[in-house]
Amino acid sequence: MKSLSKRSFKLMIIDYLLFFASYIIAMFIRFQLDFAEMSKYFSPLILFPIVMVLAFYYSGIYKYIWRFATLNELKPLFQSTLIGFLINIFMFEVLRRYVTNFFVLPFSVAATASIVGLVLVSASRVYWFSKNYRKNTKHLQSSKNILIIGAGDAGTELLEEYERHPEEGFVVGFLDDDIEKIGRNIRGYPVLGKTNEVMEFVEDYNIKEVVIAIPSASSDQIKTIINHIDTTKVRIKTLPGILEILDNKLSLGFLRDVDISDLLGRKEVKVNLDEIKNYVKGKKILVTGAGGSIGSEICRQVLPMNPEILFLLGKGENSIFQIKNELEDKFPNAKIEEIIADVSDENRMRHLFSKHKFDVVFHAAAHKHVPLMQKNPTEALKVNTLGTYYTAKLAGEFGVERFVFISTDKAIKPTSVMGASKRLGEMVIKSLSESFKTKYGIVRFGNVLGSRGSVIPIFKEQIKKGGPVTVTHPKMKRYFMTIPEAVSLVLQCGEFARKSEIFVLDMGEPVNIDQLARDLIRLSGYIPNQDIKIVYTGIRPGEKLYEELFLQDENFERTKNDRIYIAKTTNNFFNKNNLKAFIDKVNKIITEEDLISLEKFFKDYIEDSKVDLTTINYIDE
């Protein structure tokens, strides 16, 4: 027998005494107060507990650290007890038959003693855990008491994690809106009341942290809960949405501060993964703009579907370098190739399509910042329109199976160069689809939460600096969705694509930017216009108060996915000759930097264009 630690030796002594006691108890159960009969079977009293303890030892029971144990660790106790019981029965039967009749172990006594012993040992382990837990958490109870909102599976798993890691805080109890749960206990912890009573319990129990443990909760449900919490008095943490957790075991590592995405982006997303895998698995996938917010998320969601090879194309080497490293860490066996290229460079793009023979192209490369593109309009035209034309045309020429173009709600009644250039990109793809067998698709959606340069990172940085938070107009509204949500639907659109359909994603209700800023300030633990000022700066050139997702002449029809619509338009787009003339004009404007002709150019080709370039002071003027 290997050398034992003091702790293991102590447990073995305790277990021996417990099985010793269990054998006596079993004798009383079997023979009542018949001491004469009982005296015939006292011989195994010493050996029986020794065999049980040895069975525990060789089963590794004494290697467990019971402070971190769960109910799963009680299973080996049961197995070891069964093994010890069988060994005792066999050993004493051999002794009785071949050594002496002095060693007699009745089967009923052995079985009863084993069961009673198992109960006593299990109880000792629970007591051992409870004693150590209380000892380790006693000094923490006044410094970091925790209240869990959600008395379901996720809440229970989190409770177990806190029990394993008492240094992270002490759970006081649960809150839940299920009336049947209120007043009952979960693992000895009470379900205190409803979620709208949260601040009462925060004050009564000196709560320092409220944890929202409801991964399946929608944005509206999360917002309702947070509206009852005074963020200046208590910190709020939450679990991410159910899609982000999937089948992973919950741990404290999942916990994070409540983010604005929890209030805006927890909508139900259903996609048919089998359909998406059918056109991705074993294929050569090209993602343009792979270093951007949308492009990089496309890469993250495509790689688990086992493409033959994923090509990351981008103009900025740093962003491509970063996404390549991230993907290799997560998917070490995947084949990934980086490509540094400008989508508006036709010769370079032609070489790439000829060399690699891509099967599927996700075209996410774009200049997207509205005010910046107002000041650099030919660059928007160059990348968003001409770059889209070259990439889509080459996809057709080289037999790409599917081509998905990422468009924007700003393409509808465009007031900005960015929106107009993306609208022209839509028109170009519709025209090219008449000439090639490639299945083209256009996906149109609004703002994505947390994308680089979007309003939320800007607000967060302003709050971090102590304000003020700048909002352009108190009535400005925008559509929002999370990046993973948007990309999941984009991938589904790729399967639906046939003949340059315009797919419009259901973004929910538009969000008031002023209210968004106020929510973000509250989530950061401040009071709007008291701790952090809100300043209105006025609408910038190219911006509008409200965005739209459909043109005036567009109807829409539903797809198999209730979050995806197809826009039906009566507009006629370019034929082959007109398309060539159009591209020639685009090249001429870009080459000559002819900004005077650009505004008229937009209006000539986009009937509802409201782009105004007269308000911009250009650097070179």
Side-chain angles (χ1 to χ4, degrees):
M1 186 180 291
K2 298 178 181 178
S3 60
L4 292 170
S5 66
K6 289 182 179 179
R7 172 192 164 278
S8 296
F9 184 75
K10 183 178 180 181
L11 280 176
M12 291 178 74
I13 295 298
I14 291 172
D15 290 348
Y16 177 86
L17 293 175
L18 291 175
F19 276 108
F20 186 94
S22 69
Y23 187 86
I24 295 174
I25 292 170
M27 294 274 280
F28 275 102
I29 292 174
R30 171 68 177 82
F31 300 109
Q32 302 299 315
L33 297 177
D34 189 349
F35 293 103
E37 187 67 20
M38 196 183 298
S39 62
K40 299 177 182 178
Y41 307 106
F42 269 121
S43 55
L45 186 57
I46 304 299
L47 283 178
F48 177 84
I50 290 176
V51 171
M52 300 303 290
V53 169
L54 289 175
F56 276 21
Y57 175 81
Y58 286 106
S59 297
I61 294 297
Y62 299 111
K63 294 180 181 179
Y64 287 99
I65 302 176
W66 291 97
R67 184 165 65 89
F68 301 115
T70 65
L71 290 177
N72 289 329
E73 274 68 45
L74 294 179
K75 293 179 182 178
L77 284 179
F78 175 83
Q79 295 168 352
S80 300
T81 301
L82 178 61
I83 291 170
F85 164 73
L86 295 175
I87 292 174
N88 268 308
I89 290 295
F90 176 78
M91 183 184 71
F92 279 101
E93 184 61 20
V94 170
L95 289 174
R96 183 185 68 80
R97 288 190 181 189
Y98 301 106
V99 181
T100 174
N101 285 331
F102 179 72
F103 293 102
V104 178
L105 176 65
F107 184 91
S108 60
V109 172
T112 304
S114 298
I115 294 171
V116 172
L118 175 62
V119 172
L120 293 177
V121 170
S122 299
S124 74
R125 297 304 190 267
V126 172
Y127 173 76
W128 183 283
F129 164 78
S130 301
K131 180 181 177 182
N132 280 279
Y133 179 71
R134 292 190 185 96
K135 180 181 177 181
N136 291 326
T137 60
K138 189 174 181 180
H139 68 284
L140 294 171
Q141 293 184 21
S142 60
S143 61
K144 193 178 180 182
N145 288 349
I146 293 169
L147 188 62
I148 297 177
I149 293 182
D153 292 338
T156 304
E157 285 188 52
L158 273 185
L159 171 63
E160 292 175 355
E161 284 293 294
Y162 277 113
E163 289 180 333
R164 291 191 192 95
H165 302 279
E167 69 279 3
E168 297 295 330
F170 175 79
V171 176
V172 169
F174 296 86
L175 295 183
D176 201 287
D177 288 329
D178 186 344
I179 297 176
E180 293 186 1
K181 293 181 180 178
I182 296 173
R184 302 174 72 179
N185 289 337
I186 296 177
R187 307 281 173 85
Y189 295 81
V191 181
L192 298 166
K194 293 186 177 181
T195 57
N196 60 5
E197 301 170 315
V198 57
M199 290 311 297
E200 296 178 25
F201 296 108
V202 165
E203 294 174 3
D204 291 346
Y205 291 90
N206 190 28
I207 300 297
K208 299 298 182 183
E209 192 169 279
V210 173
V211 177
I212 302 174
I214 315 175
S216 60
S218 67
S219 298
D220 289 340
Q221 289 172 315
I222 294 290
K223 194 167 186 176
T224 299
I225 292 171
I226 291 176
N227 284 340
H228 295 299
I229 301 174
D230 186 344
T231 55
T232 64
K233 294 182 178 179
V234 66
R235 188 178 183 184
I236 313 174
K237 284 194 172 184
T238 188
L239 291 170
I242 196 71
L243 286 177
E244 297 175 60
I245 296 175
L246 295 177
D247 295 327
N248 293 317
K249 187 181 185 301
L250 284 181
S251 69
L252 297 183
F254 277 104
L255 286 178
R256 57 169 170 76
D257 291 334
V258 175
D259 192 78
I260 197 69
S261 62
D262 296 307
L263 306 188
L264 302 180
R266 283 196 176 190
K267 304 178 184 73
E268 185 179 20
V269 178
K270 292 180 180 178
V271 293
N272 189 321
L273 292 177
D274 290 334
E275 290 181 346
I276 297 171
K277 286 179 182 177
N278 283 340
Y279 79 84
V280 169
K281 186 176 181 180
K283 301 297 178 65
K284 297 177 180 178
I285 311 294
L286 170 67
V287 179
T288 71
S293 303
I294 296 297
S296 59
E297 183 63 23
I298 291 175
C299 296
R300 294 184 192 101
Q301 294 195 24
V302 161
L303 266 185
M305 299 180 187
N306 299 315
E308 178 184 337
I309 185 168
L310 176 65
F311 295 91
L312 315 176
L313 187 148
K315 190 175 180 180
E317 58 178 305
N318 289 334
S319 59
I320 294 298
F321 177 79
Q322 288 171 358
I323 187 61
K324 169 73 181 305
N325 286 344
E326 177 193 328
L327 294 173
E328 283 187 330
D329 286 342
K330 292 181 179 178
F331 308 97
N333 298 321
K335 291 185 67 176
I336 305 170
E337 289 290 338
E338 318 102 300
I339 299 174
I340 303 301
D342 184 341
V343 292
S344 63
D345 183 341
E346 183 181 12
N347 290 332
R348 171 71 170 146
M349 294 300 291
R350 182 173 292 278
H351 168 73
L352 294 171
F353 273 84
S354 174
K355 177 182 178 181
H356 296 297
K357 301 294 190 294
F358 309 116
D359 296 308
V360 180
V361 175
F362 293 99
H363 183 48
H367 284 320
K368 63 179 183 178
H369 300 292
V370 171
L372 196 57
M373 290 303 100
Q374 289 295 108
K375 294 182 178 181
N376 302 273
T378 56
E379 281 300 308
L381 196 65
K382 181 180 178 182
V383 173
N384 296 352
T385 304
L386 191 62
T388 297
Y389 167 73
Y390 288 145
T391 309
K393 178 171 176 285
L394 291 167
E397 289 182 8
F398 287 92
V400 169
E401 295 175 13
R402 296 173 192 271
F403 183 97
V404 180
F405 171 54
I406 310 300
S407 189
T408 171
D409 56 359
K410 294 174 178 61
I412 308 302
K413 297 179 184 177
T415 58
S416 65
V417 172
M418 194 283 276
S421 62
K422 295 289 277 188
R423 173 75 168 279
L424 293 175
E426 289 184 2
M427 295 167 65
V428 161
I429 288 177
K430 278 200 160 291
S431 304
L432 289 170
S433 69
E434 299 297 321
S435 303
F436 299 108
K437 293 181 179 180
T438 297
K439 296 176 180 178
Y440 291 94
I442 300 164
V443 186
R444 189 189 288 164
F445 56 89
N447 301 277
V448 287
L449 292 166
S451 62
R452 292 185 306 186
S454 66
V455 66
I456 291 173
I458 293 172
F459 284 169
K460 285 182 176 180
E461 188 62 28
Q462 291 174 337
I463 293 169
K464 185 178 179 181
K465 293 178 179 178
V469 171
T470 56
V471 177
T472 52
H473 193 283
K475 292 185 178 180
M476 180 169 282
K477 292 185 177 182
R478 289 292 182 267
Y479 290 99
F480 283 99
M481 68 195 324
T482 63
I483 296 174
E485 175 188 18
V487 167
S488 294
L489 295 173
V490 165
L491 296 180
Q492 184 70 81
C493 292
E495 197 279 329
F496 291 163
R498 294 294 181 270
K499 203 71 175 173
S500 70
E501 298 88 348
I502 297 177
F503 298 99
V504 182
L505 306 188
D506 176 10
M507 306 279 294
E509 293 298 318
V511 176
N512 181 277
I513 302 299
D514 182 44
Q515 185 61 48
L516 185 151
R518 293 173 187 274
D519 288 339
L520 201 54
I521 290 170
R522 290 192 190 95
L523 288 178
S524 302
Y526 301 107
I527 300 174
N529 283 328
Q530 182 173 317
D531 300 322
I532 303 288
K533 293 290 184 184
I534 296 177
V535 175
Y536 302 108
T537 59
I539 298 176
R540 296 172 295 184
E543 289 186 326
K544 47 188 176 180
L545 281 179
Y546 310 101
E547 300 290 1
E548 300 169 87
L549 291 172
F550 295 95
L551 296 173
Q552 191 169 4
D553 70 331
E554 284 180 336
N555 295 315
F556 64 88
E557 67 179 37
R558 292 183 179 274
T559 65
K560 292 185 293 184
N561 189 306
D562 58 9
R563 294 287 303 281
I564 301 174
Y565 300 88
I566 297 178
K568 292 294 184 179
T569 180
T570 58
N571 278 359
N572 293 318
F573 299 104
F574 313 111
N575 58 35
K576 287 184 179 181
N577 293 330
N578 289 341
L579 181 58
K580 184 180 184 306
F582 167 78
I583 295 300
D584 289 341
K585 287 182 182 179
V586 171
N587 271 311
K588 185 173 184 295
I589 290 173
I590 293 171
T591 303
E592 298 178 0
E593 289 283 337
D594 187 1
L595 304 183
I596 296 174
S597 300
L598 184 55
E599 186 175 317
K600 182 178 183 300
F601 174 77
F602 283 140
K603 290 178 180 176
D604 287 343
Y605 285 98
I606 305 173
E607 293 179 2
D608 54 2
S609 172
K610 297 178 182 179
V611 178
D612 181 5
L613 298 177
T614 61
T615 59
I616 302 297
N617 292 320
Y618 296 100
I619 295 173
D620 58 347
E621 291 184 347

